[in-house]
Amino acid sequence: MLRVGIVGGGQLGRMLIQAGIDFALEVHVLDSSADSPCHGLAHEFVVGSVLEAEAIRRFARGLNLLTLELENVSVEGLEGAREEGIAVFPQPEVVRLCQDKGLQRQYYAERGFAGPRFQLWAPGEPIHLPFPLIQKSRRGGYDGRGVQRVPSPEALWPVPSLLEEEVPIAKEVSVIVARARHGEIKAFPPIEAVFHPTAHLVTHLRLPADIDPQAQKEAQEIAMDLAESLQIVGLLAVEFFYTTAGKWLINESAPRPHNTGHITTRATWTSQFEQHWRALLGLPLGETQVHTPAALLNILGPPGQTGKPSYPTLSQLLAIPGLSIHLYGKKRSTPYRKLGHIIILSEDIPTLQARLNEAQALLHVAVS
Ligand code: ADP
C-alpha cells in the first residue's frame, strides 16, 4: 500500500481521503487541530503545526509521497521532506510562489500572463496607480482582511502589499488544471462564480459557465500554459477575471484542490480530487468534460452566532431531485465558516435554476 501524507486536515483533505480510498492509498494527515474534518478518517492523524518545518519533516518520515491541501505551510518543512527522498508535490518552489500574492503577480507579468496593472508597495513608498485601487496584503490576511478597495491613500493598510488597478469584471471563474508526473496536462472547464445582482457576494457556482465556448477554451489554454510554465505536479487552480471587454486576466492561483472544484465531484467525468491522485501517482489523467450541468451552493455558518451546527431542513433539501449534500463534519459554526456544500444536477438549465432557488430558500443552519 502506498503511504501518502497530506499537510492540512480540512475539508479539502477530507475529500482527498474520499478519493484516495479508490486507489487504496494509506493516507496520513497532519493538522494542528485534533478537531479537524480529517480526524477519525485518516489512516494516521498527527497533531502538529503545518507552519513548523520540523513538524512536517517528522510527519513525512516513512511516507512515499507528500502533498498538501493548503498553501500556507512551512516550505522549509516540504524541502526537508524532499531532501530525505520523499516525493513532494506540488513542489516546494511552487508553494513558495503561491504564498505571496506579490511574487505571483510578478511571475505572471514577467512571463506575459495578462493581469491587472499592479505595483508592489511597502508603507511610505510613492504610489503610481490611480485611486480607487485594490490593495491585497502580500501574505495571509491583515487583521483577517486580505483585500480591500481603497478610495484614497489614507485608507491604505500599513502592510507590504500588492496594489492593483480596479478592473471592470464581467465574470469571475476558476480553471482547475492537473499536470501529472509524466507531464500530461488537462484542464477542467471554467467554473463560474455567480454574484448577487446588488451585494458583492457569491450566491452559487455553475458549471458550465455562461460564457462563449471559444472564450472558455482560451481560459483553459492560459491555465494550462501557466501550469506548464510552473512545471507543477498536481492541481493548479487558476482564478480569472473575465473583463467587460471580453479579456481574460489572471487574478491568482493555488497549488491544490480548490473550493470551486467541489462541483467536479458530481458534474464532470473525473473529480478534481481523483485527478490530483492520478497526477501524483503518475497515472493517466481522467476526462474532465461536464456530464450534467450543475450548480453548487456553499453551506455557511450563519452570521452573529457561534456554536454547534445542525441542519434541520436536510430531509426537505434532499427531496429536491438531483440534489446531493456534503457536510464537512465541523463541530463548530462561526459566522460565514464553510460547513458543507450542496450540488444540484439537471440536464435542463431552467429546471436547474428553479431547484437552486428552492434549495436556497430551504437551506437553514441552526446553531446551538
Ligand atoms: P482572496 O484571496 O481573498 O480570494 P482575491 O484576490 O481573490 O482575494 O480578491 C477578492 C475579490 O476582490 C475578487 O474575487 C474580486 O471580486 C475583487 N478583486 C480583486 N482584485 C481586483 C481587481 N484588480 N479589480 C477589481 N476587483 C478585484
Side-chain angles (χ1 to χ4, degrees), residues 124-258:
E125 292 176 0
I127 293 166
H128 312 303
L129 293 169
F131 286 86
L133 51 74
I134 308 291
Q135 179 181 24
K136 305 180 176 185
S137 68
R138 288 183 59 168
R139 295 179 134 266
Y142 167 68
D143 285 349
R145 299 161 302 175
V147 178
Q148 68 163 346
R149 183 175 182 272
V150 184
S152 61
E154 311 78 64
L156 282 160
W157 294 322
V159 285
S161 300
L162 166 66
L163 305 182
E164 290 180 352
E165 67 170 327
E166 186 178 29
V167 295
I169 302 172
K171 304 250 180 204
E172 296 197 28
V173 314
S174 59
V175 176
I176 298 166
V177 181
R179 186 172 172 280
R181 280 170 96 154
H182 50 285
E184 189 188 0
I185 191 160
K186 274 201 173 129
F188 285 91
I191 299 162
E192 180 184 349
V194 181
F195 283 80
H196 188 273
T198 50
H200 186 77
L201 198 99
V202 176
T203 60
H204 64 279
L205 305 176
R206 75 173 153 215
L207 183 63
D210 182 20
I211 295 175
D212 162 63
Q214 187 52 38
Q216 296 206 28
K217 220 166 138 244
E218 274 171 38
Q220 288 177 297
E221 296 292 338
I222 298 168
M224 286 193 286
D225 285 350
L226 180 56
E228 197 68 66
S229 162
L230 292 166
Q231 292 283 294
I232 188 172
V233 171
L235 295 178
L236 183 73
V238 186
E239 295 178 13
F240 284 98
F241 299 140
Y242 189 54
T243 67
T244 48
K247 200 166 175 291
W248 288 111
L249 302 179
I250 294 185
N251 176 22
E252 60 178 349
S253 37
R256 53 166 170 79
H258 196 250

